[in-house]
Amino acid sequence: MKEQLLAIQQNALAALERAEDLASLDEVRVRFLGKKGEITAVLRTMGQLPAEERPAFGQAANQVRSLIEEKIKAAAAGLEKKKLQKRLESETIDVTVPGRAPEFGHAHPLTKVLDEVKDVFVGMGFTIAEGPEVELSEYDFTRLNIPEGHTVREWTDTFYITEDERVHLRCQTSPVQVRVMEKTTPPIRIISPGRVYRKDEVDATHSPMFHQMEGLVVDKGITMGDLKGTLNALVHKLYGDDLKTRFRPHHFPFTEPSCEMDVQCFVCRGQGCRVCKGEGWVEVLGAGMVHPKVLAGCGIDPEVYSGFAFGLGLDRMTMLRYNINDLRLLFENDLRFIGQF
Ligand code: 2NL
């Protein structure tokens, strides 16, 4: 029976050698030390021994049991250590690996130009006014002295929403200013940038959606001199103090008198080049003194107040500014193009 104990001890130690994880260690424990394990089985047969040999045998069996228990503990500790080692190795962070550079975006060229223009006007005390893109014909046409039957009101020129000809996509941002005039006692100093819509075929200079910015000043004693001074300040801030401007007579239904402003070409500075098509001048905006009928229609007494207004195409400004020759490039959002600004 002593031999049996020794065999158990050897088998147990050999099994422990082979155990590669905690689960197999537990199998060893059950097989040798468990209630139905091999040591228990041997102890059950102890009754066959002469009484005087039993204590020594019991002691020997307990020693084997303790030895196996200890070895299992040691093996478990070893396995835990190995497991931790593996985790530490597999989860190592190599802090010397170069970082991935983040890709920075930037404002769209149109937004940059708009921001510059806004800054100039905000610096002169203007505030920014916004309004709906789906407008009432009342605000976009009637109040602006554009009578029924005028060509811009036609279905071929303007995007109506339904059969109802009282509602359409605005074709200018003037209705924003009408809404402000209606609610405000002068002085008024606002700019209104935003999207506008006209039924134009797409080409290098036309798009059914484009960006406009209008401006409006109404107060006592406002004159054409204020108009010229304000718009000259814009040009000088944007393109430099040396550029001259010129104002040519024009016609708009909502202003009287009306004019268009040209600026000396900011590429060749008046010499004539590709951008100004050899002219030396570039047309940049339309403007005029607010028509008395428009003031009156918005509840402002034209006998007391006067005002000037202007409108400029932001897309065209952007194209001129960055020497872009096709409007469509601004709207296609091809990163190879956008990334250049
Ligand atoms: C152009 C011309 C212009 C206005 C817009 C305006 C607005 C009100 C009253 C009077 Cl509420 N006028 N706006 C005036 C003159 C010209 O735009 O060529 N835009 C691209």
Side-chain angles (χ1 to χ4, degrees):
M1 282 180 85
K2 269 264 163 69
E3 290 78 58
Q4 238 179 318
L5 273 178
L6 267 179
I8 290 174
Q9 180 174 322
Q10 267 169 9
N11 287 343
L13 294 186
L16 282 177
E17 287 281 325
R18 288 190 304 268
E20 282 180 346
D21 52 35
L22 292 171
S24 27
L25 278 189
D26 202 52
E27 274 168 28
V28 172
R29 186 186 60 74
V30 171
R31 179 178 151 200
F32 293 98
L33 311 177
K35 267 189 202 154
K36 293 179 184 165
E38 295 191 14
I39 298 230
T40 318
V42 173
L43 285 172
R44 283 221 182 90
T45 62
M46 207 163 60
Q48 297 162 10
L49 284 178
E52 66 274 14
E53 286 180 27
R54 287 179 202 162
F57 183 79
Q59 219 174 356
N62 280 334
Q63 268 171 9
V64 172
R65 174 194 292 278
S66 304
L67 181 81
I68 297 174
E69 268 171 4
E70 257 167 48
K71 293 282 178 191
I72 290 179
K73 245 193 209 161
L79 283 176
E80 287 287 3
K81 210 171 151 188
K82 251 195 206 159
K83 210 166 112 185
L84 181 65
Q85 198 66 35
K86 260 194 186 154
R87 247 187 82 187
L88 285 175
E89 275 163 25
S90 69
E91 294 179 12
T92 308
I93 294 168
D94 183 352
V95 293
T96 66
V97 172
R100 279 188 213 128
E103 261 188 67
F104 288 107
H106 61 73
H108 190 280
L110 192 83
T111 309
K112 290 189 180 192
V113 169
L114 175 57
D115 284 347
E116 281 179 27
V117 176
K118 273 184 186 168
D119 276 353
V120 173
F121 281 104
V122 168
M124 291 193 282
F126 284 68
T127 52
I128 295 161
E130 291 185 341
E133 288 179 26
V134 177
E135 255 302 352
L136 298 175
S137 305
E138 169 72 18
Y139 285 101
D140 206 8
F141 298 139
T142 312
R143 301 277 196 101
L144 289 160
N145 197 30
I146 299 170
E148 276 178 36
H150 194 286
T151 51
V152 304
R153 289 195 182 229
E154 276 167 31
W155 292 75
T156 47
D157 283 30
T158 292
F159 287 104
Y160 288 89
I161 305 295
T162 61
E163 300 285 302
D164 187 346
E165 57 190 29
R166 290 172 303 179
V167 185
H168 63 264
L169 293 181
R170 68 183 182 192
C171 27
Q172 48 199 356
T173 61
S174 325
V176 178
Q177 339 231 63
V178 171
R179 289 171 183 280
V180 171
M181 279 195 281
E182 209 178 40
K183 287 196 306 244
T184 319
T185 312
I188 294 170
R189 257 190 250 112
I190 50 167
I191 50 170
S192 55
R195 293 175 205 271
V196 297
Y197 303 85
R198 288 181 200 174
K199 278 192 182 166
D200 282 330
E201 291 294 330
V202 175
D203 65 23
T205 53
H206 294 87
S207 160
M209 184 284 299
F210 58 101
H211 300 82
Q212 203 200 10
M213 197 194 78
E214 291 205 5
L216 173 76
V217 172
V218 182
D219 202 352
K220 289 176 180 161
I222 297 294
T223 70
M224 198 83 183
D226 298 302
L227 181 159
K228 290 175 79 171
T230 305
L231 296 177
N232 280 338
L234 171 68
V235 169
H236 293 153
K237 279 260 163 49
L238 287 186
Y239 302 116
D241 286 332
D242 58 315
L243 282 185
K244 290 200 172 72
T245 57
R246 70 181 183 193
F247 295 80
R248 287 177 287 100
H250 199 72
H251 174 265
F252 299 111
F254 27 84
T255 46
E256 181 58 35
S258 306
C259 61
E260 278 188 330
M261 182 176 82
D262 298 335
V263 182
Q264 269 184 328
C265 178
F266 32 79
V267 174
C268 63
R269 306 202 100 69
Q271 298 307 300
C273 70
R274 236 166 28 122
V275 170
C276 59
K277 300 191 178 76
E279 294 278 321
W281 297 90
V282 185
E283 180 201 318
V284 289
L285 56 81
M289 300 307 292
V290 181
H291 198 295
K293 272 169 93 173
V294 172
L295 287 175
C298 296
I300 293 175
D301 186 350
E303 297 295 330
V304 180
Y305 295 104
S306 57
F308 72 83
F310 59 91
L312 55 87
L314 285 168
D315 314 276
R316 195 177 129 71
M317 285 268 282
T318 306
M319 288 169 73
L320 288 170
R321 180 60 191 268
Y322 291 112
N323 206 356
I324 297 164
N325 59 12
D326 195 321
L327 175 63
R328 288 165 287 200
L329 290 166
L330 289 178
F331 302 138
E332 282 165 357
N333 287 337
D334 184 332
L335 288 179
R336 291 169 301 178
F337 170 76
I338 299 289
Q340 296 175 41
F341 298 92

Short mmCIF file of all heavy atoms in Angstrom, two decimals, residues 28-76:
data_model
loop_
_atom_site.label_atom_id
_atom_site.label_comp_id
_atom_site.label_asym_id
_atom_site.label_seq_id
_atom_site.Cartn_x
_atom_site.Cartn_y
_atom_site.Cartn_z
N VAL A 28 -6.75 17.91 -11.92
CA VAL A 28 -5.76 17.14 -11.14
C VAL A 28 -6.21 17.05 -9.69
O VAL A 28 -6.18 15.99 -9.06
CB VAL A 28 -4.36 17.80 -11.25
CG1 VAL A 28 -3.38 17.12 -10.28
CG2 VAL A 28 -3.85 17.74 -12.67
N ARG A 29 -6.67 18.24 -9.17
CA ARG A 29 -7.11 18.26 -7.77
C ARG A 29 -8.26 17.26 -7.53
O ARG A 29 -8.22 16.47 -6.60
CB ARG A 29 -7.57 19.68 -7.40
CG ARG A 29 -7.91 19.87 -5.93
CD ARG A 29 -8.50 21.24 -5.68
NE ARG A 29 -9.73 21.47 -6.45
CZ ARG A 29 -10.90 20.93 -6.17
NH1 ARG A 29 -11.02 20.13 -5.13
NH2 ARG A 29 -11.96 21.17 -6.93
N VAL A 30 -9.24 17.28 -8.44
CA VAL A 30 -10.39 16.38 -8.29
C VAL A 30 -9.95 14.91 -8.40
O VAL A 30 -10.32 14.08 -7.59
CB VAL A 30 -11.47 16.72 -9.35
CG1 VAL A 30 -12.57 15.66 -9.33
CG2 VAL A 30 -12.04 18.11 -9.09
N ARG A 31 -9.08 14.66 -9.39
CA ARG A 31 -8.69 13.27 -9.64
C ARG A 31 -7.92 12.66 -8.45
O ARG A 31 -8.11 11.50 -8.11
CB ARG A 31 -7.82 13.23 -10.89
CG ARG A 31 -7.32 11.81 -11.23
CD ARG A 31 -6.49 11.79 -12.50
NE ARG A 31 -5.51 10.72 -12.44
CZ ARG A 31 -4.44 10.66 -13.19
NH1 ARG A 31 -4.18 11.65 -14.06
NH2 ARG A 31 -3.60 9.64 -13.08
N PHE A 32 -7.08 13.48 -7.81
CA PHE A 32 -6.24 12.91 -6.74
C PHE A 32 -6.76 13.22 -5.35
O PHE A 32 -6.68 12.38 -4.47
CB PHE A 32 -4.79 13.39 -6.89
CG PHE A 32 -4.14 12.83 -8.13
CD1 PHE A 32 -4.06 13.58 -9.28
CD2 PHE A 32 -3.62 11.53 -8.13
CE1 PHE A 32 -3.49 13.07 -10.41
CE2 PHE A 32 -3.04 11.01 -9.27
CZ PHE A 32 -2.97 11.78 -10.43
N LEU A 33 -7.29 14.42 -5.12
CA LEU A 33 -7.64 14.82 -3.76
C LEU A 33 -9.14 14.85 -3.51
O LEU A 33 -9.57 15.00 -2.37
CB LEU A 33 -7.07 16.20 -3.43
CG LEU A 33 -5.59 16.43 -3.74
CD1 LEU A 33 -5.20 17.88 -3.41
CD2 LEU A 33 -4.72 15.47 -2.93
N GLY A 34 -9.93 14.72 -4.56
CA GLY A 34 -11.38 14.87 -4.42
C GLY A 34 -12.00 13.75 -3.59
O GLY A 34 -11.34 12.77 -3.23
N LYS A 35 -13.32 13.89 -3.28
CA LYS A 35 -14.04 12.90 -2.47
C LYS A 35 -14.00 11.53 -3.12
O LYS A 35 -14.01 10.50 -2.44
CB LYS A 35 -15.50 13.34 -2.34
CG LYS A 35 -15.75 14.15 -1.09
CD LYS A 35 -17.25 14.37 -0.93
CE LYS A 35 -17.50 15.59 -0.05
NZ LYS A 35 -18.81 16.21 -0.35
N LYS A 36 -14.02 11.53 -4.45
CA LYS A 36 -13.95 10.24 -5.15
C LYS A 36 -12.56 10.06 -5.74
O LYS A 36 -12.35 9.29 -6.67
CB LYS A 36 -15.00 10.21 -6.28
CG LYS A 36 -16.42 10.21 -5.72
CD LYS A 36 -17.42 10.21 -6.86
CE LYS A 36 -18.85 10.32 -6.28
NZ LYS A 36 -19.80 10.67 -7.34
N GLY A 37 -11.60 10.82 -5.20
CA GLY A 37 -10.25 10.81 -5.75
C GLY A 37 -9.43 9.63 -5.29
O GLY A 37 -9.87 8.81 -4.48
N GLU A 38 -8.23 9.54 -5.82
CA GLU A 38 -7.40 8.35 -5.62
C GLU A 38 -6.93 8.21 -4.17
O GLU A 38 -6.86 7.10 -3.64
CB GLU A 38 -6.20 8.39 -6.57
CG GLU A 38 -6.67 8.29 -8.02
CD GLU A 38 -5.55 8.05 -9.02
OE1 GLU A 38 -4.42 7.69 -8.58
OE2 GLU A 38 -5.80 8.23 -10.22
N ILE A 39 -6.60 9.34 -3.51
CA ILE A 39 -6.14 9.26 -2.12
C ILE A 39 -7.25 8.75 -1.23
O ILE A 39 -7.05 7.85 -0.40
CB ILE A 39 -5.64 10.63 -1.63
CG1 ILE A 39 -4.45 11.06 -2.47
CG2 ILE A 39 -5.35 10.58 -0.12
CD1 ILE A 39 -3.24 11.51 -1.73
N THR A 40 -8.46 9.30 -1.42
CA THR A 40 -9.61 8.86 -0.65
C THR A 40 -9.83 7.35 -0.83
O THR A 40 -10.08 6.62 0.13
CB THR A 40 -10.87 9.63 -1.08
OG1 THR A 40 -10.52 11.01 -1.25
CG2 THR A 40 -11.98 9.52 -0.05
N ALA A 41 -9.70 6.93 -2.08
CA ALA A 41 -9.89 5.51 -2.39
C ALA A 41 -8.90 4.64 -1.60
O ALA A 41 -9.28 3.60 -1.02
CB ALA A 41 -9.74 5.28 -3.88
N VAL A 42 -7.64 5.09 -1.53
CA VAL A 42 -6.63 4.31 -0.81
C VAL A 42 -6.94 4.28 0.69
O VAL A 42 -6.85 3.24 1.34
CB VAL A 42 -5.22 4.89 -1.05
CG1 VAL A 42 -4.19 4.18 -0.18
CG2 VAL A 42 -4.84 4.78 -2.50
N LEU A 43 -7.36 5.48 1.20
CA LEU A 43 -7.64 5.53 2.63
C LEU A 43 -8.80 4.60 2.99
O LEU A 43 -8.83 4.03 4.08
CB LEU A 43 -7.98 6.97 3.05
CG LEU A 43 -6.78 7.93 3.13
CD1 LEU A 43 -7.24 9.37 3.34
CD2 LEU A 43 -5.83 7.50 4.25
N ARG A 44 -9.75 4.43 2.04
CA ARG A 44 -10.89 3.54 2.29
C ARG A 44 -10.44 2.10 2.51
O ARG A 44 -11.08 1.32 3.20
CB ARG A 44 -11.86 3.58 1.11
CG ARG A 44 -12.70 4.83 1.13
CD ARG A 44 -14.14 4.52 0.74
NE ARG A 44 -14.87 5.79 0.73
CZ ARG A 44 -14.96 6.57 -0.35
NH1 ARG A 44 -14.44 6.15 -1.50
NH2 ARG A 44 -15.59 7.72 -0.28
N THR A 45 -9.32 1.73 1.88
CA THR A 45 -8.85 0.34 1.96
C THR A 45 -7.99 0.11 3.20
O THR A 45 -7.46 -0.98 3.42
CB THR A 45 -8.02 -0.04 0.73
OG1 THR A 45 -6.88 0.81 0.69
CG2 THR A 45 -8.83 0.08 -0.54
N MET A 46 -7.81 1.22 4.02
CA MET A 46 -6.91 1.15 5.16
C MET A 46 -7.35 0.06 6.16
O MET A 46 -6.51 -0.53 6.86
CB MET A 46 -6.84 2.51 5.86
CG MET A 46 -5.55 2.73 6.56
SD MET A 46 -5.32 4.47 6.93
CE MET A 46 -6.68 4.83 7.95
N GLY A 47 -8.68 -0.21 6.18
CA GLY A 47 -9.22 -1.21 7.11
C GLY A 47 -8.57 -2.60 6.95
O GLY A 47 -8.56 -3.39 7.89
N GLN A 48 -8.03 -2.85 5.79
CA GLN A 48 -7.42 -4.15 5.55
C GLN A 48 -6.07 -4.28 6.26
O GLN A 48 -5.51 -5.37 6.37
CB GLN A 48 -7.19 -4.36 4.05
CG GLN A 48 -8.48 -4.38 3.25
CD GLN A 48 -8.23 -4.17 1.76
OE1 GLN A 48 -7.08 -4.19 1.33
NE2 GLN A 48 -9.30 -3.99 1.03
N LEU A 49 -5.52 -3.12 6.71
CA LEU A 49 -4.20 -3.16 7.35
C LEU A 49 -4.32 -3.60 8.80
O LEU A 49 -5.35 -3.34 9.44
CB LEU A 49 -3.57 -1.77 7.32
CG LEU A 49 -2.99 -1.25 6.01
CD1 LEU A 49 -2.47 0.18 6.21
CD2 LEU A 49 -1.86 -2.14 5.52
N PRO A 50 -3.27 -4.17 9.33
CA PRO A 50 -3.24 -4.45 10.77
C PRO A 50 -3.35 -3.12 11.52
O PRO A 50 -2.81 -2.11 11.06
CB PRO A 50 -1.85 -5.07 11.00
CG PRO A 50 -1.32 -5.40 9.65
CD PRO A 50 -2.05 -4.60 8.64
N ALA A 51 -4.07 -3.13 12.65
CA ALA A 51 -4.37 -1.90 13.38
C ALA A 51 -3.14 -1.08 13.67
O ALA A 51 -3.17 0.16 13.60
CB ALA A 51 -5.11 -2.23 14.68
N GLU A 52 -2.01 -1.71 13.97
CA GLU A 52 -0.83 -0.94 14.38
C GLU A 52 -0.18 -0.21 13.21
O GLU A 52 0.58 0.74 13.40
CB GLU A 52 0.19 -1.83 15.13
CG GLU A 52 0.84 -2.93 14.30
CD GLU A 52 0.01 -4.22 14.26
OE1 GLU A 52 -1.19 -4.16 14.65
OE2 GLU A 52 0.51 -5.25 13.80
N GLU A 53 -0.47 -0.66 12.00
CA GLU A 53 0.13 0.03 10.84
C GLU A 53 -0.70 1.22 10.36
O GLU A 53 -0.24 2.05 9.59
CB GLU A 53 0.29 -0.95 9.68
CG GLU A 53 1.43 -1.94 9.89
CD GLU A 53 1.57 -2.91 8.73
OE1 GLU A 53 1.19 -2.51 7.59
OE2 GLU A 53 2.05 -4.02 8.95
N ARG A 54 -1.95 1.22 10.83
CA ARG A 54 -2.86 2.25 10.29
C ARG A 54 -2.41 3.69 10.54
O ARG A 54 -2.41 4.49 9.60
CB ARG A 54 -4.27 2.05 10.85
CG ARG A 54 -4.95 0.85 10.21
CD ARG A 54 -6.33 0.66 10.77
NE ARG A 54 -6.74 -0.71 10.58
CZ ARG A 54 -7.72 -1.29 11.23
NH1 ARG A 54 -8.40 -0.61 12.15
NH2 ARG A 54 -8.03 -2.53 10.99
N PRO A 55 -2.00 4.07 11.78
CA PRO A 55 -1.62 5.49 12.00
C PRO A 55 -0.51 5.95 11.07
O PRO A 55 -0.58 7.02 10.46
CB PRO A 55 -1.15 5.52 13.45
CG PRO A 55 -1.77 4.32 14.08
CD PRO A 55 -1.86 3.27 13.02
N ALA A 56 0.54 5.10 10.93
CA ALA A 56 1.67 5.48 10.07
C ALA A 56 1.21 5.65 8.62
O ALA A 56 1.59 6.60 7.93
CB ALA A 56 2.77 4.42 10.16
N PHE A 57 0.33 4.73 8.21
CA PHE A 57 -0.17 4.82 6.82
C PHE A 57 -1.00 6.10 6.61
O PHE A 57 -0.83 6.82 5.62
CB PHE A 57 -0.99 3.58 6.48
CG PHE A 57 -1.44 3.59 5.05
CD1 PHE A 57 -0.57 3.23 4.03
CD2 PHE A 57 -2.73 4.02 4.73
CE1 PHE A 57 -1.00 3.26 2.72
CE2 PHE A 57 -3.15 4.06 3.42
CZ PHE A 57 -2.26 3.68 2.40
N GLY A 58 -1.87 6.34 7.64
CA GLY A 58 -2.68 7.56 7.56
C GLY A 58 -1.81 8.80 7.44
O GLY A 58 -2.06 9.69 6.61
N GLN A 59 -0.76 8.80 8.27
CA GLN A 59 0.15 9.95 8.25
C GLN A 59 0.78 10.11 6.86
O GLN A 59 0.83 11.21 6.30
CB GLN A 59 1.24 9.70 9.27
CG GLN A 59 1.63 10.95 10.01
CD GLN A 59 2.64 10.61 11.13
OE1 GLN A 59 2.97 9.44 11.40
NE2 GLN A 59 3.11 11.64 11.78
N ALA A 60 1.24 8.97 6.31
CA ALA A 60 1.89 8.99 4.99
C ALA A 60 0.92 9.52 3.93
O ALA A 60 1.27 10.36 3.08
CB ALA A 60 2.39 7.60 4.63
N ALA A 61 -0.32 9.03 4.03
CA ALA A 61 -1.31 9.47 3.04
C ALA A 61 -1.54 10.99 3.15
O ALA A 61 -1.62 11.70 2.12
CB ALA A 61 -2.62 8.73 3.26
N ASN A 62 -1.60 11.47 4.40
CA ASN A 62 -1.81 12.91 4.59
C ASN A 62 -0.64 13.72 4.06
O ASN A 62 -0.81 14.82 3.52
CB ASN A 62 -2.04 13.22 6.06
CG ASN A 62 -3.48 12.93 6.45
OD1 ASN A 62 -4.38 12.97 5.59
ND2 ASN A 62 -3.71 12.58 7.70
N GLN A 63 0.58 13.15 4.23
CA GLN A 63 1.75 13.86 3.69
C GLN A 63 1.65 14.00 2.18
O GLN A 63 1.91 15.05 1.62
CB GLN A 63 3.03 13.10 4.06
CG GLN A 63 3.61 13.60 5.36
CD GLN A 63 4.74 12.71 5.85
OE1 GLN A 63 5.20 11.80 5.13
NE2 GLN A 63 5.17 12.95 7.07
N VAL A 64 1.27 12.86 1.54
CA VAL A 64 1.13 12.90 0.07
C VAL A 64 0.08 13.95 -0.32
O VAL A 64 0.27 14.77 -1.22
CB VAL A 64 0.77 11.51 -0.49
CG1 VAL A 64 0.43 11.60 -1.97
CG2 VAL A 64 1.92 10.54 -0.27
N ARG A 65 -1.05 13.91 0.42
CA ARG A 65 -2.11 14.87 0.12
C ARG A 65 -1.59 16.32 0.24
O ARG A 65 -1.77 17.13 -0.67
CB ARG A 65 -3.26 14.67 1.11
CG ARG A 65 -4.37 15.73 0.96
CD ARG A 65 -5.30 15.70 2.16
NE ARG A 65 -6.09 14.49 2.19
CZ ARG A 65 -7.20 14.30 1.48
NH1 ARG A 65 -7.62 15.25 0.68
NH2 ARG A 65 -7.86 13.18 1.56
N SER A 66 -0.87 16.58 1.36
CA SER A 66 -0.36 17.94 1.55
C SER A 66 0.60 18.32 0.44
O SER A 66 0.57 19.46 -0.07
CB SER A 66 0.38 18.07 2.87
OG SER A 66 -0.43 17.67 3.92
N LEU A 67 1.45 17.36 0.11
CA LEU A 67 2.44 17.64 -0.94
C LEU A 67 1.73 18.03 -2.24
O LEU A 67 2.05 19.03 -2.89
CB LEU A 67 3.34 16.42 -1.16
CG LEU A 67 4.41 16.66 -2.23
CD1 LEU A 67 5.59 17.43 -1.63
CD2 LEU A 67 4.89 15.34 -2.84
N ILE A 68 0.71 17.21 -2.63
CA ILE A 68 0.00 17.49 -3.89
C ILE A 68 -0.70 18.85 -3.80
O ILE A 68 -0.63 19.66 -4.73
CB ILE A 68 -1.01 16.37 -4.22
CG1 ILE A 68 -0.25 15.05 -4.44
CG2 ILE A 68 -1.84 16.72 -5.45
CD1 ILE A 68 -1.14 13.84 -4.63
N GLU A 69 -1.32 19.11 -2.63
CA GLU A 69 -1.99 20.41 -2.46
C GLU A 69 -1.02 21.56 -2.68
O GLU A 69 -1.30 22.52 -3.41
CB GLU A 69 -2.59 20.53 -1.05
CG GLU A 69 -4.02 20.06 -0.98
CD GLU A 69 -4.51 19.97 0.46
OE1 GLU A 69 -3.76 20.35 1.39
OE2 GLU A 69 -5.65 19.51 0.64
N GLU A 70 0.15 21.44 -2.06
CA GLU A 70 1.16 22.50 -2.19
C GLU A 70 1.58 22.69 -3.64
O GLU A 70 1.69 23.79 -4.14
CB GLU A 70 2.39 22.14 -1.37
CG GLU A 70 2.49 22.91 -0.08
CD GLU A 70 3.55 22.28 0.82
OE1 GLU A 70 4.67 22.03 0.30
OE2 GLU A 70 3.23 22.04 2.00
N LYS A 71 1.81 21.53 -4.30
CA LYS A 71 2.28 21.61 -5.69
C LYS A 71 1.22 22.27 -6.58
O LYS A 71 1.54 23.01 -7.50
CB LYS A 71 2.62 20.21 -6.23
CG LYS A 71 3.83 19.61 -5.55
CD LYS A 71 5.12 20.20 -6.08
CE LYS A 71 6.33 19.60 -5.34
NZ LYS A 71 7.57 20.29 -5.62
N ILE A 72 -0.07 21.92 -6.28
CA ILE A 72 -1.14 22.53 -7.08
C ILE A 72 -1.13 24.04 -6.87
O ILE A 72 -1.20 24.82 -7.83
CB ILE A 72 -2.53 21.97 -6.70
CG1 ILE A 72 -2.64 20.51 -7.19
CG2 ILE A 72 -3.66 22.80 -7.32
CD1 ILE A 72 -3.96 19.84 -6.85
N LYS A 73 -1.00 24.45 -5.60
CA LYS A 73 -0.96 25.89 -5.30
C LYS A 73 0.16 26.58 -6.05
O LYS A 73 -0.03 27.63 -6.67
CB LYS A 73 -0.76 26.09 -3.79
CG LYS A 73 -1.93 26.73 -3.09
CD LYS A 73 -1.50 27.17 -1.70
CE LYS A 73 -2.68 27.15 -0.73
NZ LYS A 73 -2.22 27.12 0.68
N ALA A 74 1.34 25.95 -5.97
CA ALA A 74 2.51 26.55 -6.62
C ALA A 74 2.29 26.65 -8.13
O ALA A 74 2.59 27.67 -8.76
CB ALA A 74 3.76 25.72 -6.32
N ALA A 75 1.73 25.54 -8.69
CA ALA A 75 1.51 25.53 -10.14
C ALA A 75 0.50 26.63 -10.51
O ALA A 75 0.66 27.33 -11.52
CB ALA A 75 1.01 24.18 -10.60
N ALA A 76 -0.55 26.79 -9.68
CA ALA A 76 -1.56 27.82 -9.95
C ALA A 76 -0.91 29.20 -9.95
O ALA A 76 -1.15 30.02 -10.86
CB ALA A 76 -2.68 27.75 -8.93
#
